[in-house]
Amino acid sequence: MISRLFSASLNGIEGFEVCVEVDARGAEDGGRIAVVGLPDAAVRESVQRVTAALENSRFFPPAEMAVTVNLSPADVRKQGACFDLPIALGLEMAVQRNHRKLPAAARRELPSGLEQWCLIGELSLDGSVRGVRGALAVAVAARAAGRRYLMVAVENAAEAAVVEGLTVYGVSTLEEAWKLLLNPACKAPAQPVAAEESALHELDFDEVKGQPYARRAMEIAAAGGHHLLLCGSPGSGKSMLASRLPTILPPMTQDEALEASTIHSVCGLLSRSAGLLRRRPFRAPHHTISDVGLMGGGSSITPGEISLAHRGVLFLDELPEFSRHTLETLRQPLESGVVTISRAVGSMDFPCAFQLIAAMNPCPCGYHGDPHHVCKCRPAEVARYRKRISGPLLDRFDMVLEVPPVDPASLLSKPDGESSAAIRERVVAARRRQAERYAGLGVSCNARLSGKLLQRFCALTPAQKELLLAAVNQFSLSARAFDRILRVARTIADLAGRERLADDDLLEAIQFRQFEARLRD
């Protein structure tokens, strides 16, 4: 008789159910175990791990038996060590049912109701159960498949327990797993970890000295989800400002937290004792990062930094130092919020709805235009340095801001800015207005407005149209920059509680494009 259990594997960041079938029967030419169903090397090596784990856990090993393990669907590649636990348990059941020479002392009661369970876990040689990547995605797949219970390693239990409608149990050993299958009531199910919102952030905007114009830009960017480029001398506070942006962003919704946490779980970056992410991701890759590291890919097609920043912030410091080709790959994901990775093994879509904050120096030495330092760069060097950022990429920033050097006298004074909590209240109120305005339209924030919706919600008076047209002509702005000015103006109005755009809203939004013309020169 065949033993049949259910497990799950990963395809990109999504889980899919796998049926683990185990057939064991006597063999005259000695024992063997074969794993079929497109297993990778880690799955094939499970034979040695499972055999040792069974023997060291005082289970009856499949000696002198021909064993076939089938992982269905057979035409989808299976990866990782997550099948160790169901293979071991299925193998023991098959042995118990088919081995006529089984000693009486080795006989065990067989569990029932296995169709209600999904099981994942890596086994150590001593029979202990280890955690695996992607437990959250597996839990979602198990619920979608109609399973009632999920069995994982103890270290994955809190992570998987956040999925509602599924009872999650964490086990430490193979023996404990067998007892749990026999009687689910013998162990209390895992509980999700409660979030502590008050302890999410250690940084605060009240630590920033000076830079009122930059602080205002960060508030607007947070309120509308806008992309922002900061240009200034070393020490002007660009990185300090960017690192504090998550502290003023609105809290993640349950769905957003689940999306971001799933990506981090698949990449092995989710804390296995903390449950869902509660802090918006802040990713700051080094400028030596490769295309694959930023966008995702590789032999097994895993998410990159832009997907790890999903629902959060991607900070690119020293923007011109990044590879030009790497930066150009950002153009399509910035518009669509999705990156498609195509390889010979298949094509996968990864979400990447992130907010891009970038920082750069005005020249190679960093002191062009700095009143306190002398720039040693020739004009041609400055122009070459700035042209490392292409026009199409520059167009995709909603605001381009010059960050002036900090006045030395202000460094000795107390910070005069507002706290992150105070700014965050205004940001949350502005986002709430946007959510009510765009309800049912598929738009999450002002930065995502386009087409007819942009015309509808950013209507201009004849005088405002002339004002905007004059700015476009004066600064040689593109049609894309034209739209971005309207989106920023819409956010400024939302922060002020206005439903219609005022002249001041439009003028302030135009100011955030003035420095772009200097970068293009």
Side-chain angles (χ1 to χ4, degrees):
M1 180 180 284
I2 296 173
S3 297
R4 184 175 289 108
L5 297 95
F6 295 96
S7 185
S9 187
L10 297 173
N11 184 25
I13 62 172
E14 295 183 355
F16 66 96
E17 188 173 67
V18 174
C19 180
V20 180
E21 298 175 313
V22 182
D23 179 61
R25 61 189 64 192
E28 297 179 357
D29 56 347
R32 62 174 177 80
I33 302 178
V35 181
V36 298
L38 283 183
D40 71 352
V43 179
R44 289 193 297 270
E45 290 174 352
S46 66
V47 171
Q48 286 74 32
R49 290 192 299 272
V50 165
T51 303
L54 284 171
E55 188 168 358
N56 292 324
S57 300
R58 300 179 182 178
F59 285 86
F60 193 77
E64 299 181 357
M65 300 189 71
V67 178
T68 302
V69 179
N70 179 45
L71 305 177
S72 177
D75 59 345
V76 179
R77 190 158 188 81
K78 319 301 187 308
Q79 304 178 46
C82 61
F83 303 111
D84 287 7
L85 182 60
I87 289 175
L89 294 172
L91 185 54
E92 177 62 18
M93 293 176 197
V95 169
Q96 293 284 338
R97 289 181 176 132
N98 294 284
H99 205 305
R100 298 179 180 178
K101 299 179 181 180
L102 195 66
R107 294 174 185 172
R108 292 173 176 267
E109 178 187 357
L110 293 176
S112 59
L114 297 177
E115 68 281 352
Q116 301 183 73
W117 286 88
C118 177
L119 306 93
I120 61 167
E122 177 184 343
L123 289 178
S124 296
L125 298 184
D126 63 356
S128 59
V129 184
R130 293 177 173 175
V132 296
R133 293 184 177 186
L136 184 56
V138 166
V140 173
R143 181 183 62 181
R147 305 303 158 200
R148 182 178 177 185
Y149 305 115
L150 174 66
M151 185 187 298
V152 297
V154 170
E155 55 191 293
N156 287 139
E159 172 185 341
V162 300
V163 178
E164 298 178 354
L166 190 69
T167 304
V168 178
Y169 293 96
V171 295
S172 301
T173 64
L174 195 55
E175 180 70 31
E176 185 181 357
W178 184 272
K179 292 179 180 178
L180 187 60
L181 286 180
L182 291 172
N183 180 21
C186 72
K187 186 179 179 66
Q191 299 297 325
V193 179
E196 297 182 8
E197 182 70 18
S198 60
L200 289 184
H201 302 291
E202 297 80 24
L203 304 176
D204 201 290
F205 259 93
D206 63 9
E207 299 166 339
V208 179
K209 296 182 179 181
Q211 304 296 9
Y213 186 48
R215 288 203 301 260
R216 169 65 173 171
M218 298 300 290
E219 180 178 341
I220 295 171
H226 301 293
H227 306 309
L228 173 64
L229 173 60
L230 303 171
C231 181
S233 303
S236 58
K238 304 185 296 295
S239 299
M240 187 177 189
L241 289 162
S243 63
R244 283 156 178 76
L245 179 61
T247 68
I248 61 174
L249 289 173
M252 285 197 290
T253 64
Q254 183 72 9
D255 289 342
E256 289 176 336
L258 187 60
E259 290 174 8
S261 300
T262 300
I263 299 172
H264 283 245
S265 174
V266 169
C267 294
L269 300 177
L270 187 64
S271 173
R272 290 173 177 172
S273 61
L276 288 181
L277 288 175
R278 296 299 175 181
R279 185 195 307 234
R280 289 192 179 270
F282 180 83
R283 306 294 298 182
H286 193 261
H287 62 258
T288 56
I289 192 171
S290 65
D291 299 2
V292 171
L294 186 65
M295 307 299 293
S299 58
S300 58
I301 311 186
T302 55
E305 288 290 335
I306 63 172
S307 294
L308 289 171
H310 182 59
R311 301 301 182 187
V313 178
L314 178 69
F315 176 47
L316 301 184
D317 200 5
E318 305 294 345
L319 187 66
E321 301 298 335
F322 283 78
S323 161
R324 172 101 179 217
H325 184 268
T326 299
L327 289 179
E328 293 306 302
T329 60
L330 284 172
R331 287 157 54 175
Q332 180 268 335
L334 281 172
E335 295 287 342
S336 66
V338 176
V339 58
T340 301
I341 307 297
S342 298
R343 296 291 185 269
V345 295
S347 179
M348 294 183 186
D349 292 335
F350 293 141
C352 57
F354 61 91
Q355 190 170 351
L356 177 61
I357 306 297
M360 62 176 288
N361 294 329
C363 66
C365 78
Y367 295 111
H368 184 76
D370 191 322
H372 307 297
H373 298 84
V374 177
C375 176
K376 299 179 181 180
C377 303
R378 295 191 296 270
E381 292 175 328
V382 176
R384 244 188 336 264
Y385 178 78
R386 294 181 175 183
K387 286 182 180 179
R388 293 180 185 176
I389 306 173
S390 68
L393 180 60
L394 196 60
D395 256 354
R396 283 166 170 79
F397 286 99
D398 298 286
M399 297 184 285
V400 182
L401 177 67
E402 182 178 22
V403 183
V406 179
D407 182 4
S410 66
L411 297 176
L412 299 176
S413 62
K414 293 182 179 180
D416 55 357
E418 291 180 290
S419 67
S420 292
I423 300 173
R424 194 184 195 192
E425 287 183 7
R426 295 195 295 269
V427 169
V428 170
R431 286 288 186 109
R432 190 181 302 116
R433 294 187 187 98
Q434 294 168 49
E436 293 172 356
R437 182 187 304 125
Y438 308 135
L441 298 177
V443 177
S444 58
C445 58
N446 289 331
R448 296 294 177 183
L449 278 177
S450 61
K452 294 181 179 179
L453 293 180
L454 188 66
Q455 299 175 11
R456 174 182 171 186
F457 295 112
C458 299
L460 301 177
T461 65
Q464 290 172 340
K465 291 179 180 179
E466 293 182 7
L467 177 64
L468 184 55
L469 183 61
V472 169
N473 291 330
Q474 180 180 353
F475 303 119
S476 302
L477 300 178
S478 67
R480 185 179 284 113
F482 177 93
D483 288 347
R484 294 187 183 279
I485 289 175
L486 291 178
R487 293 170 187 158
V488 173
R490 176 69 270 167
T491 300
I492 295 171
D494 286 337
L495 283 169
R498 290 188 287 269
E499 193 55 38
R500 293 192 59 85
L501 300 186
D503 292 350
D504 289 344
D505 303 331
L506 199 58
L507 287 170
E508 186 174 5
I510 291 172
Q511 287 182 345
F512 291 117
R513 304 298 307 194
Q514 290 183 2
F515 188 69
E516 178 187 353
R518 292 169 55 185
L519 286 179
R520 292 178 186 273
D521 292 341

